[in-house]
Amino acid sequence: MNENTRAIVVSQFGGPEVLEWQESELPPLGPTDVLVRHTAVGLNFIDVYHRTGLYPLELPFTPGVEAAGIIEAVGSNVDDLSPGERVAYTGNGPPGSYSEKRVLPRTRLARLPDAIDDRTAAAIMLKGCTVEYLVNRTFPISAGDVVLLHAAAGGVGLIASQWLNALGARVIGTVGSEEKGELARTSGCDEVILYRVEDVADRVREITDGRGVDVVYDSVGAATFEASIKSLRPRGMMVTFGNASGPVPPVPPLLLSQSGSLFLTRPVLAHHYTDPTEAAEGIAKLFDMVLSGKVTPLIGQEYSLSDVSKAHQDLEHRKTVGSTVLTT
Ligand code: NDP
């Protein structure tokens, strides 16, 4: 008989109330699998899209795309990891991290360096890998590039502010409050725009002496798309990589020519980490940034995993800052 675990299960799409704490059975451990006991799980906005069905998954499912933990058992063909070792993983595979224990393919796991504790790992794996591909692969940043970064005090946002700053970019961050603005500044934003009281595109033109920015990293989606397009220099790059305010409606190609022959991309992690080698390279770069002190993730709030519906409410109501960690 297979081992049991407790996990959050979604049996129908909906609000935070559909996140139910249940007993469930673990699948058998295959020869190339590893059984991990989670110690810290990361909360991400993508978990909200999965819960609501914006990114539809087959029901029922356990959400969650990043976590850290300790190995309890390894399959017969796994010879480079052992029980007791600390590991973590990011979102390049099916969700399921909202659970006490989980069976995962060995190829998804990264061994954690001693200097990165489990909570920190849970705070950075998906968010930090996302920043890694955005700044290195989607639009490779050079020193002196001017960047507009939305939700600069969020989980992805604070890591991006620090990483962009370390690469020598000039970072203009947008935030929803003075407190978040302070946090964004201390994390590497050179300029902060309070979008509730300032016009984002006008302020960007002022700050850049009319030129516009080289690239926009926009995870807010519907609410910010227009201002983002208006903030770019000719031939600038619009990177729309999330939908915190709702998905961006269809865009006519003529808008891009009329706005300055712009480039538009809608990237996801899975297409940048298409195989274990690409993923390992990205994760290694992320660990380097953390170990060198260039990226110091902020865990703004913690919840117990069984109380994750409260964490979802706070994330959706813009009450969180930095990363959120769920503990088992
Ligand atoms: P955040 O911590 O950034 O939380 C979302 C933030 O967005 C809020 O705190 C809020 O900040 C801002 N926001 C603006 N408008 C809204 C709105 N209407 N509703 C809710 N929030 C709003 O979340 P994450 O760090 O987990 O994720 C950030 C984004 O990155 C998400 O859109 C996510 O989907 C995307 N992402 C994309 C990936 C990809 O590969 N494409 C991978 C990982 C994440 P403020 O108060 O300052 O406005």
Side-chain angles (χ1 to χ4, degrees), residues 62-285:
T62 291
V65 286
E66 70 184 340
I70 296 168
I71 295 180
E72 292 214 327
V74 297
S76 53
N77 290 350
V78 176
D79 51 14
D80 59 345
L81 285 176
S82 313
E85 284 194 281
R86 296 166 56 247
V87 288
Y89 59 93
T90 184
N92 53 335
S97 63
Y98 285 12
S99 53
E100 289 178 337
K101 292 184 184 186
R102 185 174 183 195
V103 172
L104 289 140
R106 172 8 184 158
T107 48
R108 259 191 95 177
L109 295 172
R111 188 182 279 110
L112 279 176
D114 289 345
I116 298 183
D117 64 62
D118 296 10
R119 287 165 58 259
T120 301
I124 59 168
M125 288 304 290
L126 177 74
K127 299 169 190 79
C129 288
T130 300
V131 174
E132 185 281 315
Y133 85 71
L134 289 174
V135 306
N136 289 328
R137 310 184 195 202
T138 303
F139 181 93
I141 293 287
S142 305
D145 282 345
V146 187
V147 178
L148 176 62
L149 172 70
H150 291 292
V156 170
L158 282 184
I159 295 172
S161 302
Q162 296 179 27
W163 202 314
L164 288 163
N165 184 272
L167 292 174
R170 184 178 182 209
V171 189
I172 306 170
T174 74
V175 291
S177 70
E178 300 269 5
E179 296 73 30
K180 289 187 177 186
E182 211 32 58
L183 212 47
R185 269 185 207 286
T186 53
S187 295
C189 283
D190 301 279
E191 308 280 348
V192 163
I193 300 177
L194 296 170
Y195 67 80
R196 290 179 199 274
V197 290
E198 298 176 287
D199 182 279
V200 172
D202 286 353
R203 277 292 290 135
V204 167
R205 291 287 159 190
E206 252 172 54
I207 292 166
T208 60
D209 296 326
R211 176 180 174 272
V213 297
D214 298 289
V215 57
V216 182
Y217 293 116
D218 186 339
S219 66
V220 174
T224 44
F225 186 81
E226 192 184 331
S228 296
I229 292 287
K230 285 185 180 164
S231 298
L232 281 159
R233 67 156 167 83
R235 302 189 307 280
M237 169 76 89
M238 170 66 181
V239 182
T240 171
F241 71 100
N243 337 268
S245 67
V248 176
V251 177
L254 269 183
L255 175 72
L256 304 176
S257 62
Q258 286 155 358
S259 308
S261 300
L262 301 179
F263 295 87
L264 169 66
T265 184
R266 197 344 182 155
V268 295
L269 181 83
H271 299 146
H272 289 75
Y273 289 13
T274 52
D275 59 44
T277 308
E278 275 189 343
E281 284 167 6
I283 291 168
K285 281 190 188 138

Side-chain angles (χ1 to χ4, degrees), residues 268-319:
V268 295
L269 181 83
H271 299 146
H272 289 75
Y273 289 13
T274 52
D275 59 44
T277 308
E278 275 189 343
E281 284 167 6
I283 291 168
K285 281 190 188 138
L286 169 63
F287 287 173
D288 277 352
M289 292 301 281
V290 175
L291 293 170
S292 65
K294 291 177 182 158
V295 167
T296 310
L298 172 81
I299 299 173
Q301 45 287 310
E302 289 187 43
Y303 304 80
S304 99
L305 179 56
S306 57
D307 198 23
V308 69
S309 53
K310 169 77 175 117
H312 273 227
Q313 279 168 24
D314 290 349
L315 183 64
E316 288 179 274
H317 291 111
R318 312 184 207 190
K319 290 185 182 159

